[in-house]
Amino acid sequence: MRKTLMATVVFPLALGQAGVTLAQSAQDNQRSANSSQATSELFYMIQQLQGEVRRLQGEVEEQRHLINRLQQQGRDRYIDLDQRILDLSEKVASQPAPDTSVGNGSTASGSAPAAKEYRQPDAEERKAYEQIQDLIRNQKQYDEAVSRIYEFIDEYPEGDLTVNAYYWLGEVYLVKPQLEQAKQAFTIVATRFADHRKAPDAVYKLGVTHDRLGEKEQARRSMQTVIEDYPSSSAADLARKFLESQNG
C-alpha cells in the first residue's frame, strides 16, 4: 500500500519535471533559432554595407581620376594660352612704332591716339563678360576668372569688351600675383589697343607691374607715357602721384 502511494506521488512529479525540461528545451531551441536568424540578417546587412562601401570607393576613385585629368587639362591650357599671350605681346613689341609727327596727318606727340570703332557686344557676349566680372569682384575666384577670360577672348575676338577682358586678365594676374603674365596682358592693351578707353589704365598698371618686379626705370617710363599720351585721364593723375612719391 505504501509503495503504491509513493509511486502515485513520484510519478506526477517526474512528469512535471519532464514537462519543465521540455519547455525549457523548447525555449532554448527558439532562442537559438532567433539568434541564428539574427546572425543571418546581420551577416546579410554587413555584406550589403561592404558592397556599398566598395561602390562608393569606386566612385571616389573615378572622381579623383576625373579631377586629376581636369587639373592637368587646366595646367596645359594655362601653359598654352600664356604662351599665346607672350607670343602676341612680343609680336606687338616687335612692330615699328607709328610716326607721331604732326606733318604726316598722324596725332601729335602728347595726345592720345585717335579712337577707332570697336565691335560692340551682343547680349550673350555682355552676359559672359558680366559673369567674369562677378567672379573677379564678388566671388574672388581668380583661377576660374582667368580660365573664363581666355575662353571669352577666344570666342569674342577684337571686340570692345575683348580689350576690357585683356585688361582684367592683367588685373587678376597682378592680384595673384603672377607679375610676368600681368605685364604681358597690360602690354597688349597698351600697345595693340592704344586707342581704347582702357589703354591709359593699362599703361599705368603696366608701370605698377614694372615697379613690383623691381624694374624701376621701366616703371617711370610707363608713368611718363600715361602723362604725355593721356594727360586728361584719371590714370595720368595716378601716374603723377606715383612719380611724385618716387621723387619725394
Side-chain angles (χ1 to χ4, degrees), residues 79-112:
I79 292 171
D80 176 63
L81 291 173
D82 281 344
Q83 186 60 47
R84 288 166 57 189
I85 290 288
L86 178 59
D87 292 343
L88 179 57
S89 64
E90 290 176 349
K91 180 180 178 181
V92 171
S94 66
Q95 294 176 350
D99 187 357
T100 57
S101 60
V102 179
N104 65 0
S106 301
T107 57
S109 177
S111 61

Side-chain angles (χ1 to χ4, degrees), residues 19 26 57-58 64 66 75 96 106 139 143 184 190 206 242 245:
Q57 286 175 335
R64 184 181 295 112
L66 177 61
R75 286 191 292 268
S106 301
Q139 301 183 43
D143 288 337
Q184 293 162 18
L206 180 59
F242 176 90
S245 68

Side-chain angles (χ1 to χ4, degrees), residues 15-47:
L15 289 176
Q17 290 176 350
V20 170
T21 300
L22 289 173
Q24 183 65 39
S25 178
Q27 291 177 356
D28 291 344
N29 289 336
Q30 182 64 40
R31 282 196 293 269
S32 178
N34 292 340
S35 177
S36 178
Q37 181 180 358
T39 301
S40 297
E41 292 177 353
L42 181 60
F43 180 73
Y44 175 71
M45 291 174 62
I46 291 173
Q47 284 185 316

Side-chain angles (χ1 to χ4, degrees), residues 16-224:
Q17 290 176 350
V20 170
T21 300
L22 289 173
Q24 183 65 39
S25 178
Q27 291 177 356
D28 291 344
N29 289 336
Q30 182 64 40
R31 282 196 293 269
S32 178
N34 292 340
S35 177
S36 178
Q37 181 180 358
T39 301
S40 297
E41 292 177 353
L42 181 60
F43 180 73
Y44 175 71
M45 291 174 62
I46 291 173
Q47 284 185 316
Q48 283 189 316
L49 289 174
Q50 288 176 337
E52 182 67 14
V53 168
R54 286 192 294 270
R55 185 184 67 80
L56 291 174
Q57 286 175 335
E59 290 184 358
V60 169
E61 188 61 31
E62 289 179 3
Q63 292 295 323
R64 184 181 295 112
H65 177 72
L66 177 61
I67 290 172
N68 290 337
R69 188 176 65 184
L70 291 174
Q71 287 176 337
Q72 183 61 47
Q73 289 176 348
R75 286 191 292 268
D76 292 343
R77 174 192 287 179
Y78 284 143
I79 292 171
D80 176 63
L81 291 173
D82 281 344
Q83 186 60 47
R84 288 166 57 189
I85 290 288
L86 178 59
D87 292 343
L88 179 57
S89 64
E90 290 176 349
K91 180 180 178 181
V92 171
S94 66
Q95 294 176 350
D99 187 357
T100 57
S101 60
V102 179
N104 65 0
S106 301
T107 57
S109 177
S111 61
K116 70 177 182 181
E117 291 293 329
Y118 285 88
R119 178 183 55 77
Q120 293 303 302
D122 58 20
E124 184 177 354
E125 182 177 350
R126 186 172 296 280
K127 180 180 179 181
Y129 178 79
E130 290 172 352
Q131 290 173 345
I132 293 171
Q133 291 281 287
D134 182 63
L135 285 170
I136 297 171
R137 291 178 170 175
N138 300 324
Q139 301 183 43
K140 313 299 182 185
Q141 298 290 329
Y142 298 129
D143 288 337
E144 176 66 17
V146 167
S147 179
R148 296 282 288 276
I149 288 172
Y150 280 134
E151 292 173 359
F152 184 89
I153 291 171
D154 281 342
E155 187 169 356
Y156 305 106
E158 302 300 326
D160 182 63
L161 291 182
T162 309
V163 184
N164 283 36
Y166 275 116
Y167 173 82
W168 282 106
L169 182 63
E171 287 279 23
V172 172
Y173 276 137
L174 196 60
V175 170
K176 285 176 68 68
Q178 292 177 240
L179 298 180
E180 286 296 335
Q181 289 90 335
K183 183 166 68 173
Q184 293 162 18
F186 288 134
T187 298
I188 289 173
V189 179
T191 55
R192 185 178 178 188
F193 306 108
D195 58 340
H196 192 271
R197 65 181 178 280
K198 294 302 291 184
D201 295 328
V203 179
Y204 169 75
K205 285 300 178 74
L206 180 59
V208 171
T209 307
H210 280 306
D211 183 66
R212 293 187 185 180
L213 285 166
E215 301 167 351
K216 302 299 183 180
E217 183 58 33
Q218 293 95 320
R220 284 191 290 272
R221 284 203 299 266
S222 292
M223 296 303 177
Q224 196 61 44

